[in-house]
Amino acid sequence: MPEQANNFPPLPKFLKVKPCFYQNISEEIPAQHQQLVRRIFILWMIYSVTLCLNVIGCIALWAAGGSGTNFGLALLWLILFGPASYACWFRPIYKAFRADSSFNFMAFFFIFFLQLVIAIIQCLGLLNWGVCGWFITITVFHYNIAAGSVMLLTTLLFTLVTVLMALVLIKVHRLYRGSGGSVTRAREEWGDGTWKNAAARGGFNTVDQNAQGPSLPEYPASVPSYVDNRGW
């Protein structure tokens, strides 16, 4: 199979900057886990949209007499957390399900937990942190209802994102532990270097080949079945 060209993020062809990642959930992710990976990807998109709306909310805060520092920090959070959240926690979980990589599962758990902590802080909305959360939105409502209303939308989205992140963390952890994954397994991958080359690993639990979708040569021919009888 020829090497796939990177397709994410989708950029106009006239730009000299090219996509950095190849992403194809329907081909690379086993069928039984595609829905979960798509939901995590949608969660990343919602978070990115929330960061964009947070900039607008901080502009409203600035217009209502707040500090311009909030607007500057909001831009910084958008520039940093938008791309970084994709690269630092979505890509690890994508690669973890794609190739049964315990190392990538552990990377996801560690980074995504930190992301959840950040989301909680953003949801709270501390003063001069560049976010429209509950504390600062309620304060603005006392003297400017219009600005508070604009900020409220971002606050509600931050709340939604925080709840969804907590649910995703719990769901993925249950699946991973149900498959027999552990820190020891991740250390073994790190020690022998197989986390870099998924095809070199063995000992996977086989599943129905029809449920896996097309297999790629750089990934294992079979992946474990993560069992979770509880609903989403």
Side-chain angles (χ1 to χ4, degrees), residues 1 36 54 58 108 115 119 167 171 177 214 228:
M1 183 178 295
L36 177 58
N54 182 59
C58 286
F108 169 78
Q115 173 69 87
L167 292 175
K171 177 70 174 182
R177 295 296 293 177
D228 185 9

Side-chain angles (χ1 to χ4, degrees), residues 10-55:
L11 299 172
K13 293 184 178 180
F14 63 83
L15 292 179
K16 293 186 178 181
V17 179
K18 301 302 178 183
C20 302
F21 306 96
Y22 177 75
Q23 177 177 309
N24 192 326
I25 295 175
S26 61
E27 287 187 2
E28 293 195 307
I29 304 300
Q32 66 269 34
H33 306 310
Q34 289 178 10
Q35 185 181 50
L36 177 58
V37 174
R38 286 193 179 98
R39 285 175 171 174
I40 298 175
F41 180 64
I42 292 173
L43 174 59
W44 171 78
M45 290 193 293
I46 295 174
Y47 183 59
S48 299
V49 170
T50 302
L51 292 175
C52 293
L53 294 177
N54 182 59
V55 174

Side-chain angles (χ1 to χ4, degrees), residues 178-220:
S179 72
S182 64
V183 177
T184 302
R185 186 174 162 190
R187 288 175 179 172
E188 291 174 355
E189 287 186 16
W190 174 264
D192 57 25
T194 53
W195 67 277
K196 298 179 182 179
N197 182 14
R201 291 200 308 273
F204 294 96
N205 299 323
T206 57
V207 296
D208 186 359
Q209 292 292 334
N210 295 328
Q212 295 180 39
S215 60
L216 299 177
E218 63 268 34
Y219 310 126

Side-chain angles (χ1 to χ4, degrees), residues 81-138:
F81 287 122
S85 58
Y86 178 86
C88 294
W89 56 260
F90 177 74
R91 286 302 296 182
I93 194 59
Y94 182 92
K95 291 186 289 185
F97 278 116
R98 182 184 67 183
D100 181 41
S101 170
S102 287
F103 177 83
N104 280 294
F105 270 114
M106 288 301 168
F108 169 78
F109 290 139
F110 176 74
I111 298 173
F112 197 69
F113 176 77
L114 296 179
Q115 173 69 87
L116 177 60
V117 172
I118 292 172
I120 292 174
I121 295 174
Q122 291 172 327
C123 179
L124 293 176
L126 303 180
L127 186 62
N128 293 327
W129 275 59
V131 289
C132 299
W134 286 107
F135 290 159
I136 193 169
T137 299
I138 292 174

